[in-house]
């Protein structure tokens, strides 16, 4: 599915014009059967004459959508246009910025159905979840607009006389100003919500954005961008969207001098991004091996429900999925039986039918998942339900008796596979968590709050959930990882903070002055 020359080629593997009528029609070129990219408020075809295609994971990886393979010159133009737009946007009052963001949110609600349909086709997201992603993203934009008005209106006035030996003859005013242009790189599994989680905080803070969508999920992200592009009064070029393969333009975008900040969500590629980023702020959320520790006194029904939800939602293709269960030996059999019983009730099938388990994103991903399971079984693990795979569709499976010698114990499957390791002590459970190269989230199930807090304090993860599965939301909660799971913290408030810098203005008085009431 590499680039295809489309100059004069007619319909080259297109999947048809988008739904939504006139609102989304500018995105699509009926002559090439492909989607355009967004620059300076206009939807354009790339001068490369090349297309990139993605696949429909739930339909045997048949060709899904075509979109532009942008050139480096077009990347340059996107950054230049964003910089010009940011200069205008930075002069817009905060309350007007908030109003325009809320207008984008309303457009997203009005036109959410085609976005959801694209999510179903591009990434096999179940229908209900796809609809929720589009609507939740609109809610995130609204919240970011309101939070920006609260937090960005505040500043500090610092007097000089608090420092030893100084008089009160200097008044320092400190406030937050935008960084400039934010490069936003969302992942395939939430190409709309995790794009919006970067764009909305960036915009309310006064920045412009250049967005690089994932290959799988690209058209969903393009539709999302149109909701910003159609807002009256928004400067042209404030949200630019450059499409193409990461291998062709990804490094160039990351290393580009026009990027004043980088916000990335994805896998191990983020490690390379962080190394190649120039001296600009970076926000990274990468992989995870989120552990679920189940103590002997836990409510096993609650724990089993959380494991099934946390491990198998969206076929396990979530950074916050339960990736390993650490069950104390005395309750392991009972817990595993409950999880197996609940897992067998999950529906498996097509995303448009709202099946709970749908195809994973690619054949490569399915092969990797299968390899992890085969390695574990060859080394003595037990699959508690029959292994079954059809193309990208993998039936959910619980793998019991996993040990430290197995790849599945340490590697992230990103699929509907949950390994169970039986442990005897808190220290043993903690070792599996803290020896992982990842440290995104974890969860603890126990009725003893002192034990829960004690374990949470010792777990080397960004977040610990007590008596609940790992989760990113609500979207205003801080969200961060340690070790190879990320840099910095996300969540609406923290993202606004990260996408601004402090600027100070100092008033020098002719003589000291001390205020009175």
């Amino acid at each position: 599915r590499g680039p295809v020359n489309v100059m004069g080629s007619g319909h080259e593997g297109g999947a048809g014009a988008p739904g939504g009528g006139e609102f989304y029609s500018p995105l699509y070129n009926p002559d090439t059967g492909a989607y355009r990219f967004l620059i300076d408020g206009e939807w354009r075809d790339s001068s490369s004459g090349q297309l990139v295609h993605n696949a429909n994971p739930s339909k045997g990886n048949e060709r899904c959508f075509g979109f532009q393979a942008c050139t480096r010159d077009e990347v340059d133009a996107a950054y230049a246009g964003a910089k010009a737009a940011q200069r205008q946007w930075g002069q817009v009052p905060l309350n007007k910025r908030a109003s325009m963001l809320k207008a984008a949110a309303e457009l997203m609600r009005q036109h959410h159905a085609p976005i959801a349909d694209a999510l179903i086709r591009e990434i096999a997201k179940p229908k209900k979840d796809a609809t929720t992603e589009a609507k939740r993203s609109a809610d995130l934009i609204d919240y970011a607009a309101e939070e920006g008005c609260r937090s960005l209106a505040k500043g500090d006035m610092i007097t000089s006389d608090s420092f030893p030996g100084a008089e009160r003859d200097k008044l320092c005013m400190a406030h937050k100003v935008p960084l400039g242009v934010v490069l936003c790189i969302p992942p395939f599994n939430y190409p709309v919500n995790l794009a919006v989680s970067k764009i909305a905080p960036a915009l309310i803070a006064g920045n412009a954005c250049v967005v690089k969508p994932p290959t799988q999920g690209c058209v969903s992200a393009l539709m999302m961008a149109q909701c910003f592009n159609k807002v009256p009064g928004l400067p042209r070029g404030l949200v630019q969207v450059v499409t193409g393969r990461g291998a062709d333009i990804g490094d160039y975008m990351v290393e580009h001098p026009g990027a004043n900040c980088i916000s990335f969500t994805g896998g191990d590629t983020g490690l390379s991004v962080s190394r190649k980023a120039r001296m600009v702020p970076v926000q990274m959320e990468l992989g995870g091996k989120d552990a679920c520790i189940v103590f002997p006194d836990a409510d096993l029904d609650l724990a089993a429900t959380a494991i099934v939800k946390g491990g198998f939602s969206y076929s396990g293709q979530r950074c916050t999925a339960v990736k390993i269960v650490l069950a104390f030996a005395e309750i392991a059999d009972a817990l595993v039986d409950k999880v197996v019983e609940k897992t067998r009730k999950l529906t498996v099938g097509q995303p448009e039918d709202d099946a709970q388990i749908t195809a994973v994103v690619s054949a490569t991903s399915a092969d990797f998942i299968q390899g992890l399971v085969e390695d574990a079984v060859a080394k003595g693990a037990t699959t508690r339900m029959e292994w079954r795979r059809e193309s990208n569709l993998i039936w959910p499976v619980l793998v019991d008796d996993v040990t430290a010698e197995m790849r599945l114990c340490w590697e992230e499957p990103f699929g509907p596979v949950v390994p169970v390791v039986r442990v005897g002590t808190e220290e043993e459970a903690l070792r599996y968590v803290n020896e992982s190269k990842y440290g995104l989230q974890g969860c603890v199930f126990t009725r003893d709050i002192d034990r829960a807090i004690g374990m949470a304090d010792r777990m080397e993860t960004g977040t610990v959930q007590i008596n609940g599965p790992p989760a990113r939301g609500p979207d205003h909660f801080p969200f961060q990882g340690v070790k190879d799971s990320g840099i910095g913290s996300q969540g609406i408030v923290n993202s606004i903070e990260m996408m601004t810098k402090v600027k100070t203005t100092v008033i020098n008085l002719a003589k000291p002055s001390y205020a009175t009431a």
Side-chain angles (χ1 to χ4, degrees), residues 158-235:
I158 307 163
T159 61
S160 55
D161 61 318
S162 61
F163 197 83
E167 296 277 5
R168 196 176 187 273
D169 57 356
K170 293 178 182 288
L171 306 179
C172 176
M173 297 183 294
H175 61 111
K176 297 170 185 173
V177 297
L179 293 174
V181 177
V182 178
L183 172 59
C184 305
I185 308 177
F188 83 84
N189 55 346
Y190 290 91
V192 176
N193 184 256
L194 288 178
V196 164
S197 73
K198 306 172 190 309
I199 295 169
L203 295 189
I204 193 62
N207 299 289
C209 295
V210 174
V211 183
K212 169 59 181 72
T215 297
Q216 296 295 136
C218 182
V219 171
S220 312
L222 291 171
M223 291 178 172
M224 171 276 301
Q226 177 71 336
C227 298
F228 289 96
N229 190 49
K230 294 290 283 185
V231 173
L234 207 71

Side-chain angles (χ1 to χ4, degrees), residues 289-292 303-304 306-313 315-316 318 321-326 335-336 339-340 343 346 357 369 372-373 376 381-385 387 394-402 408-409 411 413-421:
K289 187 68 176 176
D290 300 0
C292 176
I307 290 166
V308 172
K309 177 183 179 182
F312 297 121
S313 293
S315 302
R318 297 162 40 249
V322 171
K323 308 285 176 55
I324 186 169
V325 176
L326 303 170
L335 176 67
V336 167
V339 173
V340 169
T343 301
L346 297 174
I357 302 293
I369 295 163
L372 292 180
V373 174
T382 306
T383 54
R384 291 300 302 265
M385 53 273 293
W387 169 262
I394 296 174
W395 271 249
V397 62
L398 193 75
V399 184
D400 199 1
D401 303 312
V402 171
L408 187 57
C409 186
E411 297 182 38
F414 228 67
V417 175
V418 175
V420 178
V421 176

Side-chain angles (χ1 to χ4, degrees), residues 186-189 264-273 284-288 319 412 414 438 484-486:
F188 83 84
N189 55 346
F264 175 95
T265 303
D268 289 345
T269 302
L271 300 175
S272 173
V273 170
M284 298 279 165
E285 191 269 290
L286 312 180
C319 58
E412 182 182 21
F414 228 67
Y438 297 112
D484 283 3
S485 286

Side-chain angles (χ1 to χ4, degrees), residues 236-509:
R236 293 163 64 88
L238 192 66
V239 177
Q240 312 270 52
V241 187
V242 179
T243 62
R245 290 222 174 263
D248 298 329
I249 59 173
D251 286 352
Y252 189 69
M253 296 184 74
V254 166
E255 297 170 351
H256 201 284
N260 305 117
C261 173
I262 299 172
S263 180
F264 175 95
T265 303
D268 289 345
T269 302
L271 300 175
S272 173
V273 170
S274 66
R275 286 192 292 265
K276 293 175 180 176
R278 298 160 33 257
M279 205 170 102
V280 299
V282 292
Q283 183 184 53
M284 298 279 165
E285 191 269 290
L286 312 180
K289 187 68 176 176
D290 300 0
C292 176
I293 302 174
V294 185
F295 282 96
D297 68 335
D299 180 332
L300 297 187
D301 288 314
L302 179 67
T305 298
I307 290 166
V308 172
K309 177 183 179 182
F312 297 121
S313 293
Y314 187 41
S315 302
Q317 296 176 112
R318 297 162 40 249
C319 58
T320 55
V322 171
K323 308 285 176 55
I324 186 169
V325 176
L326 303 170
F328 276 70
E330 53 264 51
I331 50 87
D333 286 340
L335 176 67
V336 167
D337 287 345
K338 289 178 181 293
V339 173
V340 169
E341 180 184 2
K342 294 177 183 294
T343 301
R344 292 191 189 282
K345 296 177 182 178
L346 297 174
T347 58
V348 181
Q350 295 297 313
E352 56 266 33
D353 298 330
D354 213 24
Q356 292 166 296
I357 302 293
T358 58
V360 297
V361 71
S362 67
T364 300
S365 179
D367 290 342
F368 175 76
I369 295 163
Q370 183 171 344
L372 292 180
V373 174
E374 289 175 345
D375 173 78
V377 170
K379 294 174 180 175
T382 306
T383 54
R384 291 300 302 265
M385 53 273 293
E386 178 187 3
W387 169 262
R388 185 177 174 188
R389 172 188 172 185
E390 294 178 7
S391 186
N392 292 17
L393 184 61
I394 296 174
W395 271 249
V397 62
L398 193 75
V399 184
D400 199 1
D401 303 312
V402 171
T403 62
E405 294 73 30
M406 302 170 187
R407 292 171 55 206
L408 187 57
C409 186
W410 305 105
E411 297 182 38
E412 182 182 21
F414 228 67
V417 175
V418 175
V420 178
V421 176
R422 295 167 183 245
V423 298
T425 66
E426 289 189 23
E427 295 304 322
E428 185 182 4
L430 194 65
R431 180 174 67 85
Y432 282 102
V433 175
N434 291 349
E435 288 187 6
S436 172
K437 70 176 183 177
Y438 297 112
L440 188 59
Q441 288 207 7
C443 58
V444 175
F445 284 85
T446 176
R447 290 182 169 91
D448 185 337
I449 190 61
D450 291 311
R451 169 181 265 180
I453 294 297
M455 179 60 82
D457 284 345
R458 292 190 291 161
M459 293 170 67
E460 295 174 3
T461 62
T463 300
V464 179
Q465 304 274 350
I466 295 175
N467 293 326
R472 190 177 121 254
D475 287 310
H476 67 301
F477 278 17
F479 182 61
Q480 56 282 317
V482 298
K483 298 184 283 189
D484 283 3
S485 286
I487 300 171
S489 181
Q490 299 185 51
I492 292 169
V493 176
N494 288 345
S495 291
I496 291 173
E497 183 80 19
M498 180 262 178
M499 294 172 179
T500 58
K501 58 187 173 184
V502 174
K503 183 168 185 174
T504 57
T505 302
V506 179
I507 301 172
N508 291 272
L509 303 176

